[in-house]
């Protein structure tokens, strides 16, 4: 779905005179340092005129993640590598210009980013002439006990792998000799906390997996699978009311798929506790209740945007603006392009200023839109191949760490 990509700072700090680089001591080009490889930062990296800058990227991950299709990787509809773009494929002028590290602090007075390697204890400084900050966000736990320890988020490829492995492990453990019926039921129960697009789309992918593959591979176990989607208010609250009601109707029609309006008070290893004191035993909790600022972002005394539904377009705008003189830069104009989300069973929602669509035709539009938005032809070939393989041969249920 076209959605908010995370609460973050997409800001730029500029200086006209200072130059210098971790990799190159002298250069005729100003040094542009980009923090992060999310939607905004990666868009700047792809669209910036590199003949005008030495572009340096600092990020704890070496790839861009196409988040709208991340939920599809949790059950094997798509493979993990089909939704990521290696950052080095953008080609840097110097191999030292990409740093697999995280920015830990910023000295704006001296225009220095303090970095910490993600692979070693190495800490170092990188100077900049211009700086783009787009480090993304973290999942919002609302300080609810047990979330960090026992729930799994769905923001990164590593999260999707954890979910996929947990689902498959739970199915296998439920078949082990001597497992009691109550424990089988718990292992085959999943709780999704958060009724936004990410939670709904994960539930949709899980529903398709159970309906199309679990019954074929695990037999009678398919009838024991239970999914509960918990939302404090209403699911897909940002969508048109008619589309939202359609989604609720379709989800409620599904066997053993429950919509529950409630508040989670605690997450435990074997289930969740609701605010009213009731307990839902489960083998997997997927937490998708919104986003919060990173520690790095909180510490910055710069203006911060509250949303990124248009981070990719902001990145393109910023890349163009960096190549112009200040007097030629026009303000960024927001244009609502609409939203898409998948609800399972080959049905989706399309909410745009021009049309409100639902059902199978909306699902075709959902897939077509994301296929065209994938950044490279490699992914545009890989994703349809994954879809075709899943359709004819079923999803890949291999489990690996």
């Amino acid at each position: 779905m076209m959605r908010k990509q995370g609460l973050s700072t997409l800001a730029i700090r500029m200086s006209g005179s200072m130059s210098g680089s971790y990799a190159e001591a002298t250069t005729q080009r100003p040094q542009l340092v980009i923090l992060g490889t999310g939607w905004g930062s990666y868009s700047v990296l792809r669209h910036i005129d590199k003949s005008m800058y030495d572009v340096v990227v600092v990020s704890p991950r070496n790839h861009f993640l196409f988040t709208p299709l991340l939920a599809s990787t949790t059950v094997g509809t798509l493979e993990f590598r089909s939704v990521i773009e290696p950052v080095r494929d953008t080609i840097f002028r110097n191999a030292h210009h990409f740093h697999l590290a995280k920015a830990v602090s910023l000295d704006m007075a001296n225009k220095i980013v303090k970095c910490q390697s993600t692979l070693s204890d190495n800490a170092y400084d990188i100077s900049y002439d211009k700086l783009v900050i787009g480090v993304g966000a973290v999942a919002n736990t609302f300080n609810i006990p047990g979330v960090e320890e026992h729930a799994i988020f769905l923001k990164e490829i590593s999260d999707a792998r954890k979910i996929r492995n947990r689902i498959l492990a739970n199915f296998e453990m439920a078949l082990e000799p001597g497992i009691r019926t109550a424990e089988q039921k718990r292992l085959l129960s999943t709780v999704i906390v958060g009724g936004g697009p990410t939670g709904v789309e994960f539930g949709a992918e899980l529903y398709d997996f159970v309906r199309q593959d679990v019954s074929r591979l695990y037999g009678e176990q398919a009838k024991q699978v239970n999914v509960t989607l918990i939302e404090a208010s209403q699911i897909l609250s940002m969508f048109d009311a008619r589309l939202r009601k359609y989604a609720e109707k379709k989800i409620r029609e599904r066997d053993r798929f429950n919509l529950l309006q409630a508040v989670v008070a605690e997450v435990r290893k074997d289930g969740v506790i609701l605010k009213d004191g009731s307990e839902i035993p489960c083998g997997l909790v997927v937490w998708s209740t919104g986003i919060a600022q990173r520690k790095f972002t909180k510490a910055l005394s710069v203006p911060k945007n509250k949303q990124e539904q248009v981070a990719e377009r902001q990145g393109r705008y910023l890349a163009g603006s960096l190549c112009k003189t200040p007097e030629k830069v026009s303000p960024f104009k927001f244009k609502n392009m609409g939203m898409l989300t998948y609800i399972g069973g080959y049905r989706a929602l399309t909410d745009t200023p021009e049309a409100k669509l639902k059902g199978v035709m909306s699902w075709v539009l959902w897939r077509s839109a994301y296929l065209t938005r994938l950044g490279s032809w490699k992914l545009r070939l890989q994703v349809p191949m994954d879809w075709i393989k899943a359709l004819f041969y079923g999803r890949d249920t291999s489990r690996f760490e």
Side-chain angles (χ1 to χ4, degrees):
M1 109 137 226
M2 298 177 186
R3 62 171 72 109
K4 298 180 283 188
Q5 298 305 325
L7 180 69
S8 72
T9 298
L10 184 57
I12 181 164
R13 310 300 299 179
M14 301 185 181
S15 168
S17 59
M18 182 176 178
S19 64
S21 166
Y22 174 81
E24 297 175 297
T26 60
T27 177
Q28 294 181 345
R29 290 175 292 269
Q31 179 151 291
L32 171 65
V33 175
I34 302 174
L35 305 183
T37 50
W39 285 90
S41 295
Y42 189 67
S43 182
V44 174
L45 176 62
R46 289 186 61 205
H47 295 97
I48 192 69
D49 184 351
K50 293 182 180 177
S51 68
M52 297 182 63
Y53 294 96
D54 282 332
V55 181
V56 176
V57 174
V58 179
S59 177
R61 70 181 191 192
N62 69 346
H63 58 268
F64 164 73
L65 171 62
F66 191 78
T67 50
L69 293 178
L70 182 60
S72 296
T73 67
T74 60
V75 295
T77 306
L78 295 178
E79 289 305 318
F80 300 119
R81 294 192 182 278
S82 296
V83 297
I84 58 176
E85 293 269 10
V87 174
R88 286 195 180 272
D89 284 358
T90 60
I91 309 300
F92 291 88
R93 178 173 288 109
N94 186 311
H96 292 280
H97 284 175
F98 175 73
H99 297 262
L100 195 61
K102 62 180 180 179
V104 294
S105 64
L106 179 61
D107 181 351
M108 288 186 285
N110 295 302
K111 305 170 186 68
I112 291 175
V113 180
K114 297 184 179 296
C115 303
Q116 173 67 57
S117 169
T118 60
L119 303 175
S120 69
D121 294 331
N122 192 19
Y124 51 88
D125 297 343
I126 299 177
S127 62
Y128 63 86
D129 294 296
K130 299 186 180 183
L131 176 67
V132 173
I133 306 171
V135 296
V138 294
N140 195 341
T141 67
F142 296 97
N143 296 317
I144 293 176
V147 175
E148 292 279 1
E149 296 83 0
H150 305 302
I152 303 179
F153 307 116
L154 187 50
K155 287 186 62 62
E156 302 286 346
I157 282 290
S158 57
D159 299 328
R161 285 188 64 177
K162 289 177 184 177
I163 292 171
R164 187 163 167 177
N165 283 341
R166 179 73 65 82
I167 290 171
L168 296 174
N170 286 350
F171 275 109
E172 297 298 337
M173 286 192 292
L175 287 171
E176 290 180 355
I179 296 295
R180 295 180 178 179
T181 301
E183 179 63 3
Q184 283 183 331
K185 184 178 179 181
R186 185 191 72 82
L187 288 169
L188 298 177
S189 295
T190 295
V191 170
I192 305 168
V193 184
T198 300
V200 169
E201 287 188 341
F202 169 66
E205 293 288 348
L206 185 57
Y207 167 74
D208 287 349
F209 174 59
V210 171
R211 185 169 61 94
Q212 298 167 4
D213 295 275
V214 172
S215 57
R216 174 175 60 87
L217 298 172
Y218 295 94
E220 291 299 308
Q221 270 197 312
K223 297 180 181 179
Q224 296 179 313
V225 174
N226 189 77
V227 180
T228 301
L229 175 58
I230 300 175
E231 169 55 47
S233 54
Q234 55 187 7
I235 67 169
L236 302 174
S237 59
M238 68 291 295
F239 277 77
D240 176 80
R242 290 171 295 176
L243 297 180
R244 186 169 62 246
K245 289 179 181 178
Y246 172 82
E248 291 178 356
K249 177 177 179 292
K250 288 299 178 182
I251 293 172
R252 292 186 187 280
E253 287 175 353
R254 297 167 185 167
D255 292 336
R256 300 175 303 281
F257 201 117
N258 312 301
L259 283 181
L260 182 61
Q261 187 173 2
V263 175
V264 174
E266 182 182 357
V267 178
R268 296 179 178 174
K269 184 178 180 180
D270 58 355
V272 299
I273 307 298
L274 302 182
K275 193 174 182 179
D276 63 6
S278 58
E279 181 177 356
I280 305 177
C282 63
L284 169 64
V285 178
V286 175
W287 191 270
S288 178
T289 60
I291 50 179
Q293 293 182 36
R294 293 185 183 276
K295 182 179 179 181
F296 175 84
T297 309
K298 287 182 180 179
L300 298 178
S301 56
V302 297
K304 302 161 191 176
N305 60 324
K306 295 183 178 180
Q307 297 181 353
E308 281 189 283
Q309 189 190 42
V310 292
E312 193 275 336
R313 281 178 278 162
Q314 287 177 326
R316 273 185 286 166
Y317 161 82
L318 185 54
S321 300
L322 285 166
C323 300
K324 301 176 182 178
T325 57
E327 62 271 11
K328 293 184 178 180
V329 176
S330 57
F332 176 77
K333 295 182 179 179
F334 169 78
K335 181 180 179 181
N336 182 14
M337 303 296 288
M339 299 176 291
L340 301 169
T341 198
Y342 182 54
I343 61 172
Y346 303 111
R347 289 171 172 81
L349 307 181
T350 301
D351 190 345
T352 69
E354 294 79 20
K356 314 292 182 185
L357 305 175
K358 60 184 184 296
V360 176
M361 287 305 299
S362 184
W363 169 75
V364 173
L365 179 60
W366 174 79
R367 282 203 165 179
S368 301
Y370 286 145
L371 188 60
T372 58
R373 289 194 66 202
L374 288 167
S376 70
W377 281 105
K378 180 181 71 173
L379 296 191
R380 291 174 191 173
L381 291 174
Q382 284 181 200
V383 167
M385 288 300 297
D386 287 351
W387 284 337
I388 292 171
K389 285 189 295 183
L391 178 64
F392 287 101
Y393 303 107
R395 293 165 177 81
D396 183 4
T397 56
S398 302
R399 183 178 182 273
F400 52 91
E401 298 295 340

